[in-house]
Structure formats: C-alpha cells, structure tokens
Amino acid sequence: MKKDINPLIQNAKRVVERHKLAPGAFARYTMDNGTGRKMGVNEYGCADAANLLYTIGAFPRDFDERKAWIETVQGMQDAETGLYMEGSHAHLHCTAHCLAALELFDAGNVHPLRALDEYRTKEGLYKFLEEIPWKKNPWIGAHKGAGLYAAMNLAGEATAEWNNWYFDWLWEETDPDTGLWRKGCTDRLYSSMGSSFHYLFNVEYARMPIRYPDKMIDTCLKLYKEDMMYSQYTGFFGRRLGFTEADWVYCISRSLRQCGHRFEECVETVCEFADGYLDYLLSLDMDTDIRVDDLHDLFGSMCCVAELQSFLPGHVITDKPLKLVLDRRPFI
C-alpha cells in the first residue's frame, strides 16, 4: 500500500525550525520533561538539524547560513584532544556525529584527533576493539567501536592500512550463527543487532562485503516475527521515535543487497512493518508531543523512513526523494 508522507516531511521541517536559536545554532530540546534538559545550543541539536534537513531535501543553500553552521559546530571541538564531549553519549559517538554533520557541508574538523593517537597502531586498535563490552553492553560499546572508524576517516586521519586492520578484525569476528558482531557474544540478539548496525554502516561505507548476510537476515526476521524487540526504556518496536527501527531495516536491506536470501519474505515483512510505523509517525502531534522534541530521536526515525523508501520502491511517497545520510558518509 502506498503511503503519502508529505505531511510528516513538512512537520519535521517545522520541528527543526522550532529548535533554531540563531543561524547555524540549534537546540536539541525545546520542551522540559522534568529531567533538567539543556535547552541551549547543543552538539546534537546542530548536527541533527543538518542531518534532518539533508534527509528531507531541505538542506541550506545560502552561503552565509552554511558558514555560520560550520563555524558553530567546529567551535564545539576541544582544541587539546580534538574530541567533541557533549556528555549524553560517549565522546567518540559525539565526535563522529559532529564530524559526520560537518561532512554534509563539505567541511571538517579544525583540530587533529590527538586523543585517538593510541589507536593508530594495529596493536592499539585491536586492544581497543577487544576491550569493548561485547557481552555486557554491546550497543553502547558500538558507539565507540564504530565511532572510532568514522571519526578517523571523516577527519582524514585513517590510512588504508589502518582501515584494512579494522575490517580484517570485523571479518574474523563475525558470528557464523547470527551474522552479527562479535563472534560468540550474540546471545542478547536485540542488543547485538542494534550494536551490529553501527559496524555495518562502516562496512557499507567502505564498500566491503558482509561475511554472513544470510545469517543476519535470519536474525532480523527472527527478532521481528518472535516479537523480541520490546524495550523497557523505549517501548514497543515500531511505536516509538529513535534509532532501533532504522537499525533493523538497514540490517535487512543491506544484507539483502549481498544475497537473495528469503527475498520475498524480507520484502513482505518490512512492508508490514512500514505500514504500521508510518501510520504511527503520521499520527504524532509534532507541535505538542514531547517525544518529537528530541531532534536526535526524530532524526533516527527519519533515517528509518529514508531507508524504507529506498527498500520499498513506490511504497513511501514524498515530493522529493529522501536521502539517507549513511549513503554519503558513515555514522548516525
């Protein structure tokens, strides 16, 4: 069934405008939820506003506005370490996210990533990857494991040799039973899928092969069909704002590009999901619903919509085709 989501696109654009504090300066939140949210200029607010406008085809064209945006984001980088340290996510996540936003403007970091010097050798990189909490907290660990690759490459500081080390490690550590990362540490399928998405977008960016795309598809279909993606923190799958839905759709769609495994079943399943998810997003009151007020979560949902439009030709209708930022550079 076709879904005209142009009202959602226009509403998302209005939400971004509501978060604008000055040219190139955006808040992440405009509504207080009682937890002491910071309403001022924020790294994620600035980055996600740019990401959202790029996704929906409303990216700024005015030179002065672009210049102000670049200067705002660049000004948040710590001169000594080269990191972005907003605090709501790991520093590597924030750093990669801000550098990825700057790339949309064909801009980059001002200061070198000195804090990452210890990971520039093969020994340092592998020690870093080994110490990620693959069993205890793979999802949060992936913010670092994927963020390191994205930050190094977006800053132009990764060598071809370093990238080969990174992907060699991922290849060897792909789990043969689930298709996820890391081998032997995927008993928590839901978290491991969300974690693996982050490494997958680096694999996709580098045009590298997925080792077990058929197994990744099996895992994602199992998660959906057996209703294994409920979270006490974020609620029911497909009825919330955030990134998990994008993670799942992306893992299926990109794995399917590298194999034809369960093709018709994948399309039918994602189509079923899309109908309910798009109806949910269209039902939200973008002006008053506090769930929409977090630009980071709204961006995550719009990433999912963009991937759905690509995966289901003719199903998701917009005046302008949506553009997934991951098709241009790594990290969300």
Side-chain angles (χ1 to χ4, degrees):
M1 180 183 297
K2 292 183 178 181
K3 295 281 185 182
D4 183 338
I5 64 163
N6 282 299
L8 173 63
I9 303 306
Q10 293 306 313
N11 284 336
K13 188 176 180 180
R14 286 202 341 268
V15 171
V16 173
E17 186 63 29
R18 189 176 77 216
H19 286 68
K20 186 176 182 178
L21 303 177
F26 292 79
R28 178 175 174 177
Y29 312 107
T30 65
M31 300 178 186
D32 186 359
N33 68 347
T35 63
R37 284 176 165 180
K38 296 180 181 179
M39 306 291 187
V41 179
N42 176 271
E43 289 88 336
Y44 286 92
C46 294
D48 287 317
N51 285 326
L52 278 161
L53 294 183
Y54 179 90
T55 301
I56 65 176
F59 201 67
R61 294 184 175 184
D62 181 75
F63 175 82
D64 290 334
E65 184 177 4
R66 285 177 174 243
K67 183 173 183 290
W69 215 313
I70 292 168
E71 289 175 349
T72 299
V73 178
Q74 287 178 335
M76 296 174 175
Q77 187 186 21
D78 181 71
E80 182 176 347
T81 64
L83 301 180
Y84 286 80
M85 299 184 283
E86 179 259 5
S88 66
H89 292 71
H91 296 336
L92 269 172
H93 186 287
C94 191
T95 300
H97 200 62
C98 288
L99 294 182
L102 284 171
E103 197 282 333
L104 298 178
F105 296 93
D106 294 313
N109 50 303
V110 175
H111 309 289
L113 307 181
R114 297 186 182 91
L116 307 186
D117 286 349
E118 63 183 300
Y119 312 129
R120 298 181 192 275
T121 64
K122 185 176 183 179
E123 294 73 20
L125 171 62
Y126 283 13
K127 182 175 185 293
F128 169 84
L129 292 171
E130 289 285 344
E131 292 178 350
I132 288 172
W134 292 98
K135 277 189 173 292
K136 184 178 180 181
N137 206 339
W139 209 325
I140 299 301
H143 292 174
K144 298 178 180 179
L148 177 65
Y149 171 87
M152 290 280 286
N153 279 272
L154 289 165
E157 297 182 13
T159 64
E161 183 179 39
W162 189 91
N163 285 335
N164 286 335
W165 296 335
Y166 183 85
F167 290 115
D168 285 348
W169 193 94
L170 288 182
W171 181 266
E172 292 299 325
E173 291 299 328
T174 311
D175 188 81
D177 296 322
T178 64
L180 305 178
W181 289 281
R182 174 184 186 185
K183 182 168 58 178
C185 298
T186 59
D187 52 313
R188 300 170 61 196
L189 279 183
Y190 176 53
S191 293
S192 290
M193 183 278 296
S195 167
S196 294
F197 159 75
H198 293 78
Y199 301 100
L200 180 58
F201 62 57
N202 287 339
V203 169
E204 277 284 290
Y205 170 75
R207 310 296 191 264
M208 298 295 286
I210 303 170
R211 188 167 188 181
Y212 304 112
D214 55 335
K215 297 299 185 181
M216 185 174 283
I217 287 170
D218 288 343
T219 296
C220 288
L221 291 177
K222 176 183 175 69
L223 284 166
Y224 182 81
K225 292 177 179 294
E226 297 184 16
D227 197 21
M228 298 172 67
M229 290 189 286
Y230 171 79
S231 167
Q232 62 177 318
Y233 303 107
T234 56
F236 290 96
F237 183 73
R239 298 296 183 272
R240 59 197 177 193
L241 288 168
F243 289 83
T244 312
E245 287 74 12
D247 299 357
W248 179 78
V249 173
Y250 189 90
C251 283
I252 289 180
S253 67
R254 301 309 167 110
S255 295
L256 203 59
R257 290 186 183 186
Q258 297 197 20
C259 70
H261 186 61
R262 300 172 73 176
F263 178 84
E264 291 184 359
E265 186 178 0
C266 287
V267 173
E268 290 173 1
T269 303
V270 174
C271 193
E272 176 186 285
F273 159 78
D275 284 340
Y277 187 57
L278 294 174
D279 283 343
Y280 164 74
L281 294 177
L282 286 164
S283 74
L284 294 171
D285 186 334
M286 294 282 190
D287 295 320
T288 63
D289 196 323
I290 198 167
R291 291 172 293 181
V292 181
D293 191 57
D294 185 342
L295 279 192
H296 194 54
D297 282 350
L298 179 59
F299 168 56
S301 290
M302 292 309 299
C303 285
C304 182
V305 175
E307 188 69 0
L308 286 172
Q309 188 179 61
S310 176
F311 184 71
L312 302 171
H315 188 98
V316 184
I317 308 302
T318 55
D319 290 341
K320 291 183 178 180
L322 302 179
K323 296 184 292 185
L324 182 67
V325 293
L326 290 175
D327 288 331
R328 174 174 170 133
R329 79 307 186 266
F331 215 79
I332 59 173

